[in-house]
Amino acid sequence: MNHSKPSPLDIQLQVLSALMLRDIRTRFGRTIWGNAVVVLWPTAHVLIMVAIMTVRHMPAPLGESSVLFIFTGMGPMVVFMYLTRKMMEGVTVNKPLLSFPDVKFLDICVSRAVVEILNIAASIVITMLIMVAIGVDPIPKHPETAIFALCGTFFFALGMGFVNANIVTIFPPYMVGYALIIITLYGLSGVFFVPDGMPQELHEIFMWNPLTHAIMCFRSAYYPGYGEDASPLYVMMFGGCLMLIGLFWERVWTRRAL
């Protein structure tokens, strides 16, 4: 009986599937509660920020709902923060698997990215359901703009995740330093404020940050007339450049180092 040899694509898909299953079982365990904890963690992150703003009686710079304002800022921020950090952690945790001939550096990055994208998407849906339960309407007035903004943020985060994965492979302490970068982005990306209210000089500096554009684009779906100077194309182009840098870095340096 003849057995056809699996194609390279079949092997690639089998490797990715195996890595994703291993990632899920390693991080979540074999029970539904483990999965729930990981999926709900980004949701808890958003709710904690909402609670802090509510306790401090901070008025929303846009609209009347502080909950909605924080959600529109934290949505893209959570996408970027978790995806870029988890891709970096995935390479560190799964590095021993690179001893297998069919497992490549990019396989680990892609498998971790897919799992994390699904987790974040589920977290956003759960957060929106909680908002409905407390009487806040989470449905954007322009859904296509919100979806496009999140997709652009995913692409930008994916590019940054590839770069991070390359850096941490060569310099592991970078994982600790990256936490400081995330904290800085919290304060400079417009999660808790609108850049439009800043002096012109500061506004121009903030607009160099692609995450600021991503947040403004996402908020523009909820607040008509806001974010006219935000550019989703800038976010996509920045992410594409990072993706090319990450792929080139992997081929020239990381592959040899591993």
Side-chain angles (χ1 to χ4, degrees):
M1 184 175 181
N2 295 326
H3 295 279
S4 59
K5 184 179 180 180
S7 66
L9 179 59
D10 292 333
I11 295 175
Q12 190 78 22
L13 293 176
Q14 291 173 6
V15 170
L16 290 175
S17 300
L19 288 172
M20 289 172 62
L21 289 174
R22 182 184 185 276
D23 187 30
I24 292 172
R25 290 176 178 175
T26 301
R27 295 170 56 199
F28 308 156
R30 297 179 180 272
T31 65
I32 191 174
W33 302 111
N35 287 267
V37 168
V38 176
V39 171
L40 289 174
W41 192 249
T43 299
H45 203 136
V46 176
L47 296 179
I48 289 172
M49 294 298 107
V50 170
I52 292 174
M53 193 168 183
T54 302
V55 169
R56 296 184 62 183
H57 302 289
M58 298 171 61
L62 291 175
E64 299 179 355
S65 173
S66 298
V67 175
L68 185 62
F69 179 77
I70 289 296
F71 170 72
T72 56
M74 286 296 297
M77 186 69 203
V78 164
V79 170
F80 178 82
M81 177 177 62
Y82 277 87
L83 186 54
T84 56
R85 186 164 56 86
K86 292 300 181 180
M87 286 180 66
M88 182 169 50
E89 292 177 358
V91 172
T92 302
V93 173
N94 295 311
K95 194 173 181 179
L97 297 180
L98 294 173
S99 59
F100 293 96
D102 290 332
V103 179
K104 303 295 188 295
F105 175 83
L106 290 180
D107 296 331
I108 294 176
C109 291
V110 171
S111 63
R112 175 57 72 99
V114 172
V115 172
E116 203 58 37
I117 287 172
L118 294 176
N119 290 339
I120 296 171
S123 297
I124 291 176
V125 172
I126 293 172
T127 303
M128 295 176 74
L129 292 175
I130 293 175
M131 292 171 65
V132 171
I134 63 177
V136 178
D137 183 11
I139 306 301
K141 294 179 175 57
H142 301 286
E144 69 284 353
T145 302
I147 293 173
F148 186 68
L150 286 180
C151 288
T153 308
F154 274 120
F155 186 70
F156 167 51
L158 193 62
M160 189 68 204
F162 273 121
V163 173
N164 283 348
N166 281 283
I167 296 175
V168 80
T169 302
I170 300 173
F171 186 63
Y174 173 74
M175 186 178 295
V176 178
Y178 188 68
L180 299 176
I181 297 176
I182 291 296
I183 293 173
T184 303
L185 289 175
Y186 256 117
L188 299 179
S189 299
V191 175
F192 303 105
F193 63 91
V194 289
D196 300 18
M198 295 289 176
Q200 184 63 28
E201 295 78 8
L202 288 178
H203 180 266
E204 293 178 357
I205 295 175
F206 280 123
M207 295 307 289
W208 281 99
N209 181 2
L211 195 53
T212 299
H213 286 264
I215 292 174
M216 292 177 66
C217 288
F218 188 62
R219 278 194 172 131
S220 68
Y222 289 84
Y223 303 101
Y226 173 74
E228 295 180 353
D229 54 344
S231 173
L233 181 60
Y234 177 69
V235 179
M236 298 290 288
M237 291 178 62
F238 208 100
C241 290
L242 289 174
M243 191 83 68
L244 291 175
I245 291 173
L247 293 174
F248 179 78
W249 192 333
E250 185 273 336
R251 178 171 291 273
V252 175
W253 286 293
T254 305
R255 187 176 300 184
R256 296 179 181 178
L258 295 172

